[in-house]
Amino acid sequence: MASQAEDESFMARAIEVSRQNTGFTDTNPSVGCVLVKDGVIVAEAVTSIGGRPHAERNALDLAGEAARGATAYVTLEPCAHWGKTPPCANALAHHGVARVVVAVDDPDERVSGRGYQVLRDAGIEVQTGVLRREGERALSAYLTRKIKKRPHVILKLAVSADGMIGRKGTGQVAITGSEARRAVHELRARCDGILVGIGTAVADDPELNVRISGMEQYSPIRFVLDRRLELPTHSKLVKTARDVPLVVVEMPSSAEARDLAERRAVLASAGAEVLSAKNIEDLLLILGARGLSELLVEGGAVAAKAFLEAGLVDRILLFESPTVIGTGGIETPIMRADIPDTYSLVGETVYGPDRCFDYERPL
Ligand code: AOF
Ligand code: ZN
C-alpha cells in the first residue's frame, strides 16, 4: 500500500511530466500519467502534441505487460468516451492496472464522473483529489475554458527599475534582456492567442509572433483591441496577416459603427479578420467558443488596466529589470506591491539580469 507521501510524490512527477506539452495539445488538456509498480516508475507519458494519443494510452504502450498490477497516477480523470480514440479508463482496465490515483476531475460532460465509474466497475481502486490544487494549476487553461467558457488570461509585463513599461514616443524600448525575451517567446508558443491594445500596436509596431527557430509554427493568433479600427495598413501586424492570423477587435459605439465599413473592408482585404465585440468579457466568450484556452495579454498599460479592472486576469507574469527608463516613461499599470491578495506568488525565476514573478489566482 502506498503512503500518502508516496502518492503525492508520484503525482508531483505526473504533473511535471504533463507540463512538457502544455499549450501544444490543441483544445485537449496536456495530461501526465506515471505508472508505478512496487514503488518504481515503469513508464511515464504526456498527452501527445496535437492532443492525441492521450497520456494514459502513451504510458500503457510504453509499459506493456509491466502495467499489470501497477498504480497509475494521472493528473486528470481518465476519459470514458469513445472519441477519436478508445476511452483511457477502459484501456487502464484492459491492461490490468490495479489502482488509479487522480488529481483533478474532468469537467468535460462526456467524462465527468464516468471515468471513475468505468474504473470502479472493472474492480480498480480509485483515489481522487491527490494534489488537486497543483493539478488545477497545471490544467488551468483547459479548466477555465471548460468551466468559465473563456480562455485563461495571462498578463505579462516588463517593468523597469523605476516602474516604467516603456517610453512615450520612442517606439519599442528594450527593458528586459535576451534570456527573458526567449522565455516570453516560449510562452507565446504555448498560448493560443496574444493580445495588445491599439496604442501599443501603433507605438511599438510589434509582430507578436514566435521567433525561436523551429517553433515559428506555434505563433499564436494575434489580437489587437482596436475600438475604432485605427490599425495602420502599413503596420507589421497587417503586413504579416497572411502568414500569421491577425484579428482586429472593434468595439465601436453604435454611432461609430456605421463609419467603420471602409476600414473593415481595407483590413479584410489585407488578410486580417475584423471581429466585433461589446466589451472584453464578450470578446473572451467569443474566443472560448472558438476553442482558445490560453490568452496572453502583452500590453500596453491601457489594455492591461482594462483586463485588470474587469477582473479578467488569471495570472500575472511580472518581469523586473534593472534598466532605468527615466524621463518620458510610461508608468506600469501594476507593481508587485499592488497585486491584490486574491493572487499568490507561485514562482520566481531569474533570467540573466532580470527576475520574473509569477502570480496566480485559483480557478
Ligand atoms: C485523458 N487523457 O491525456 C487527455 C484527456 O477528442 P478526444 O477524443 O481526444 O477527447 C478530448 C477529451 O478527452 C478532452 O475534452 C478531455 O475530456 C479528455 N482529455 N483525457 O484521459 C488525456 N488529454
Ligand atoms: Zn483518454
Side-chain angles (χ1 to χ4, degrees), residues 155-159 163-166 297-309 313 316 318 330-340:
L155 172 64
K156 176 242 141 187
L157 287 166
V159 184
M164 304 296 167
I165 59 167
V297 176
E298 275 213 34
V302 177
K305 229 182 233 150
F307 273 81
L308 285 165
E309 278 168 9
V313 175
I316 303 171
L318 199 84
I330 301 166
E331 252 178 68
T332 178
I334 195 160
M335 308 262 253
R336 265 202 292 147
D338 0 284
I339 292 179

Short mmCIF file of all heavy atoms in Angstrom, two decimals, residues 155-159 163-166 297-309 313 316 318 330-340:
data_model
loop_
_atom_site.label_atom_id
_atom_site.label_comp_id
_atom_site.label_asym_id
_atom_site.label_seq_id
_atom_site.Cartn_x
_atom_site.Cartn_y
_atom_site.Cartn_z
N LEU A 155 -1.44 37.98 -17.95
CA LEU A 155 -0.95 39.33 -18.23
C LEU A 155 0.56 39.34 -18.02
O LEU A 155 1.04 38.98 -16.96
CB LEU A 155 -1.61 40.34 -17.29
CG LEU A 155 -1.05 41.77 -17.34
CD1 LEU A 155 -1.27 42.40 -18.70
CD2 LEU A 155 -1.69 42.64 -16.25
N LYS A 156 1.27 39.71 -19.08
CA LYS A 156 2.73 39.77 -18.98
C LYS A 156 3.17 41.22 -19.03
O LYS A 156 2.74 41.98 -19.88
CB LYS A 156 3.35 38.98 -20.14
CG LYS A 156 4.85 39.04 -20.21
CD LYS A 156 5.30 39.70 -21.50
CE LYS A 156 6.49 40.59 -21.30
NZ LYS A 156 6.81 41.36 -22.51
N LEU A 157 4.01 41.61 -18.07
CA LEU A 157 4.51 42.98 -18.04
C LEU A 157 6.02 42.97 -17.80
O LEU A 157 6.51 42.18 -17.01
CB LEU A 157 3.87 43.74 -16.87
CG LEU A 157 2.41 44.13 -16.98
CD1 LEU A 157 1.88 44.53 -15.62
CD2 LEU A 157 2.23 45.28 -17.96
N ALA A 158 6.73 43.85 -18.47
CA ALA A 158 8.16 44.02 -18.19
C ALA A 158 8.33 45.42 -17.61
O ALA A 158 8.03 46.42 -18.26
CB ALA A 158 8.97 43.87 -19.47
N VAL A 159 8.79 45.48 -16.36
CA VAL A 159 8.84 46.74 -15.63
C VAL A 159 10.30 47.13 -15.35
O VAL A 159 11.10 46.30 -14.89
CB VAL A 159 8.05 46.64 -14.31
CG1 VAL A 159 8.01 47.98 -13.58
CG2 VAL A 159 6.64 46.14 -14.56
N GLY A 163 9.93 51.62 -12.45
CA GLY A 163 8.49 51.38 -12.52
C GLY A 163 7.84 51.75 -13.85
O GLY A 163 6.65 52.06 -13.91
N MET A 164 8.60 51.69 -14.94
CA MET A 164 8.07 52.05 -16.26
C MET A 164 7.98 50.82 -17.16
O MET A 164 8.76 49.88 -17.01
CB MET A 164 8.97 53.09 -16.94
CG MET A 164 9.21 54.34 -16.11
SD MET A 164 7.67 55.25 -15.85
CE MET A 164 8.20 56.39 -14.57
N ILE A 165 7.04 50.88 -18.13
CA ILE A 165 6.94 49.77 -19.10
C ILE A 165 7.32 50.22 -20.51
O ILE A 165 7.24 49.43 -21.45
CB ILE A 165 5.53 49.14 -19.11
CG1 ILE A 165 4.46 50.17 -19.46
CG2 ILE A 165 5.22 48.49 -17.76
CD1 ILE A 165 3.11 49.54 -19.80
N GLY A 166 7.71 51.48 -20.66
CA GLY A 166 8.10 51.98 -21.98
C GLY A 166 8.40 53.46 -21.90
O GLY A 166 8.41 54.04 -20.79
N VAL A 297 -1.89 38.50 -22.66
CA VAL A 297 -2.06 39.94 -22.86
C VAL A 297 -0.69 40.59 -22.66
O VAL A 297 -0.11 40.49 -21.58
CB VAL A 297 -3.10 40.52 -21.89
CG1 VAL A 297 -3.21 42.04 -22.03
CG2 VAL A 297 -4.46 39.88 -22.13
N GLU A 298 -0.17 41.20 -23.72
CA GLU A 298 1.20 41.72 -23.66
C GLU A 298 1.27 43.24 -23.59
O GLU A 298 2.31 43.82 -23.83
CB GLU A 298 2.02 41.18 -24.84
CG GLU A 298 2.62 39.82 -24.58
CD GLU A 298 3.98 39.60 -25.26
OE1 GLU A 298 4.77 40.55 -25.37
OE2 GLU A 298 4.22 38.47 -25.68
N GLY A 299 0.18 43.90 -23.35
CA GLY A 299 0.26 45.35 -23.18
C GLY A 299 -0.63 46.08 -24.15
O GLY A 299 -1.41 45.46 -24.86
N GLY A 300 -0.56 47.36 -24.05
CA GLY A 300 0.23 48.15 -23.11
C GLY A 300 -0.55 48.47 -21.85
O GLY A 300 -1.40 47.69 -21.42
N ALA A 301 -0.26 49.63 -21.29
CA ALA A 301 -0.84 49.99 -20.00
C ALA A 301 -2.37 50.05 -20.05
O ALA A 301 -3.04 49.60 -19.12
CB ALA A 301 -0.27 51.33 -19.54
N VAL A 302 -2.91 50.56 -21.14
CA VAL A 302 -4.37 50.73 -21.22
C VAL A 302 -5.07 49.37 -21.30
O VAL A 302 -6.03 49.10 -20.56
CB VAL A 302 -4.76 51.62 -22.44
CG1 VAL A 302 -6.27 51.73 -22.58
CG2 VAL A 302 -4.12 53.00 -22.32
N ALA A 303 -4.56 48.51 -22.16
CA ALA A 303 -5.18 47.17 -22.29
C ALA A 303 -5.02 46.40 -20.98
O ALA A 303 -5.96 45.75 -20.51
CB ALA A 303 -4.53 46.40 -23.44
N ALA A 304 -3.84 46.48 -20.37
CA ALA A 304 -3.60 45.77 -19.11
C ALA A 304 -4.58 46.23 -18.05
O ALA A 304 -5.20 45.42 -17.34
CB ALA A 304 -2.16 45.99 -18.65
N LYS A 305 -4.75 47.55 -17.96
CA LYS A 305 -5.67 48.11 -16.96
C LYS A 305 -7.11 47.64 -17.22
O LYS A 305 -7.84 47.30 -16.29
CB LYS A 305 -5.61 49.64 -17.03
CG LYS A 305 -5.42 50.26 -15.67
CD LYS A 305 -5.42 51.77 -15.75
CE LYS A 305 -4.17 52.29 -15.08
NZ LYS A 305 -3.66 53.52 -15.60
N ALA A 306 -7.49 47.63 -18.48
CA ALA A 306 -8.86 47.22 -18.82
C ALA A 306 -9.11 45.78 -18.38
O ALA A 306 -10.17 45.47 -17.80
CB ALA A 306 -9.09 47.37 -20.32
N PHE A 307 -8.16 44.89 -18.63
CA PHE A 307 -8.32 43.49 -18.22
C PHE A 307 -8.33 43.37 -16.69
O PHE A 307 -9.12 42.62 -16.12
CB PHE A 307 -7.22 42.60 -18.81
CG PHE A 307 -7.54 42.09 -20.18
CD1 PHE A 307 -7.36 42.87 -21.31
CD2 PHE A 307 -8.06 40.81 -20.35
CE1 PHE A 307 -7.69 42.40 -22.58
CE2 PHE A 307 -8.39 40.32 -21.61
CZ PHE A 307 -8.19 41.11 -22.73
N LEU A 308 -7.44 44.11 -16.04
CA LEU A 308 -7.37 44.04 -14.57
C LEU A 308 -8.66 44.56 -13.95
O LEU A 308 -9.23 43.94 -13.04
CB LEU A 308 -6.18 44.85 -14.06
CG LEU A 308 -4.79 44.22 -14.26
CD1 LEU A 308 -3.68 45.25 -14.06
CD2 LEU A 308 -4.60 43.03 -13.31
N GLU A 309 -9.14 45.70 -14.47
CA GLU A 309 -10.35 46.29 -13.89
C GLU A 309 -11.58 45.43 -14.12
O GLU A 309 -12.50 45.42 -13.31
CB GLU A 309 -10.56 47.72 -14.44
CG GLU A 309 -9.69 48.70 -13.66
CD GLU A 309 -9.60 50.08 -14.30
OE1 GLU A 309 -10.35 50.34 -15.27
OE2 GLU A 309 -8.77 50.88 -13.82
N VAL A 313 -8.01 38.89 -15.35
CA VAL A 313 -6.62 38.41 -15.39
C VAL A 313 -6.48 37.26 -14.39
O VAL A 313 -6.77 37.42 -13.22
CB VAL A 313 -5.62 39.55 -15.05
CG1 VAL A 313 -4.20 39.01 -14.97
CG2 VAL A 313 -5.72 40.67 -16.08
N ILE A 316 -0.45 36.71 -13.50
CA ILE A 316 0.36 37.88 -13.82
C ILE A 316 1.82 37.46 -13.83
O ILE A 316 2.32 36.90 -12.84
CB ILE A 316 0.15 39.01 -12.78
CG1 ILE A 316 -1.34 39.39 -12.69
CG2 ILE A 316 1.00 40.24 -13.13
CD1 ILE A 316 -1.68 40.35 -11.55
N LEU A 318 5.24 39.15 -13.95
CA LEU A 318 5.83 40.47 -13.83
C LEU A 318 7.35 40.34 -13.93
O LEU A 318 7.99 39.82 -13.02
CB LEU A 318 5.42 41.06 -12.49
CG LEU A 318 5.57 42.55 -12.37
CD1 LEU A 318 4.35 43.24 -12.95
CD2 LEU A 318 5.72 42.96 -10.92
N ILE A 330 6.53 55.52 -19.44
CA ILE A 330 5.11 55.16 -19.30
C ILE A 330 5.00 54.29 -18.07
O ILE A 330 5.61 53.21 -18.00
CB ILE A 330 4.61 54.37 -20.53
CG1 ILE A 330 4.80 55.21 -21.81
CG2 ILE A 330 3.15 53.96 -20.36
CD1 ILE A 330 4.65 54.40 -23.10
N GLU A 331 4.21 54.75 -17.10
CA GLU A 331 4.13 54.04 -15.82
C GLU A 331 3.44 52.68 -15.94
O GLU A 331 2.47 52.54 -16.68
CB GLU A 331 3.34 54.89 -14.84
CG GLU A 331 4.22 55.51 -13.77
CD GLU A 331 3.40 56.38 -12.86
OE1 GLU A 331 2.56 55.82 -12.11
OE2 GLU A 331 3.58 57.61 -12.90
N THR A 332 3.94 51.74 -15.20
CA THR A 332 3.31 50.41 -15.19
C THR A 332 1.90 50.51 -14.57
O THR A 332 1.71 51.24 -13.61
CB THR A 332 4.16 49.37 -14.43
OG1 THR A 332 3.45 48.12 -14.45
CG2 THR A 332 4.43 49.77 -12.99
N PRO A 333 0.94 49.76 -15.12
CA PRO A 333 -0.40 49.78 -14.53
C PRO A 333 -0.44 49.04 -13.19
O PRO A 333 -1.38 49.22 -12.42
CB PRO A 333 -1.26 49.06 -15.57
CG PRO A 333 -0.31 48.20 -16.33
CD PRO A 333 1.01 48.92 -16.33
N ILE A 334 0.56 48.20 -12.94
CA ILE A 334 0.55 47.45 -11.68
C ILE A 334 1.99 47.11 -11.26
O ILE A 334 2.83 46.78 -12.09
CB ILE A 334 -0.34 46.18 -11.80
CG1 ILE A 334 -0.67 45.59 -10.44
CG2 ILE A 334 0.25 45.13 -12.70
CD1 ILE A 334 -1.88 44.67 -10.44
N MET A 335 2.24 47.24 -9.95
CA MET A 335 3.56 46.89 -9.40
C MET A 335 3.36 45.68 -8.53
O MET A 335 2.23 45.36 -8.14
CB MET A 335 4.06 48.01 -8.49
CG MET A 335 4.05 49.36 -9.11
SD MET A 335 5.67 49.72 -9.70
CE MET A 335 6.17 50.90 -8.49
N ARG A 336 4.46 45.07 -8.12
CA ARG A 336 4.33 43.90 -7.25
C ARG A 336 3.54 44.25 -5.99
O ARG A 336 2.73 43.47 -5.52
CB ARG A 336 5.71 43.38 -6.88
CG ARG A 336 6.14 42.27 -7.80
CD ARG A 336 7.17 41.41 -7.18
NE ARG A 336 8.43 42.08 -7.01
CZ ARG A 336 9.26 41.84 -6.01
NH1 ARG A 336 8.93 40.97 -5.08
NH2 ARG A 336 10.40 42.47 -5.93
N ALA A 337 3.82 45.46 -5.48
CA ALA A 337 3.18 45.86 -4.21
C ALA A 337 1.67 46.01 -4.34
O ALA A 337 0.96 45.87 -3.33
CB ALA A 337 3.80 47.16 -3.73
N ASP A 338 1.14 46.30 -5.56
CA ASP A 338 -0.33 46.48 -5.63
C ASP A 338 -1.08 45.24 -6.14
O ASP A 338 -2.25 45.32 -6.43
CB ASP A 338 -0.80 47.66 -6.49
CG ASP A 338 0.27 48.46 -7.14
OD1 ASP A 338 0.87 49.24 -6.39
OD2 ASP A 338 0.51 48.31 -8.36
N ILE A 339 -0.40 44.13 -6.26
CA ILE A 339 -1.12 42.93 -6.72
C ILE A 339 -2.06 42.47 -5.60
O ILE A 339 -1.64 42.25 -4.47
CB ILE A 339 -0.13 41.84 -7.16
CG1 ILE A 339 0.59 42.32 -8.43
CG2 ILE A 339 -0.83 40.50 -7.40
CD1 ILE A 339 1.61 41.40 -9.01
N PRO A 340 -3.36 42.35 -5.92
CA PRO A 340 -4.35 42.02 -4.87
C PRO A 340 -4.08 40.66 -4.21
O PRO A 340 -3.44 39.79 -4.80
CB PRO A 340 -5.68 41.98 -5.63
CG PRO A 340 -5.43 42.64 -6.94
CD PRO A 340 -3.98 42.54 -7.23
#
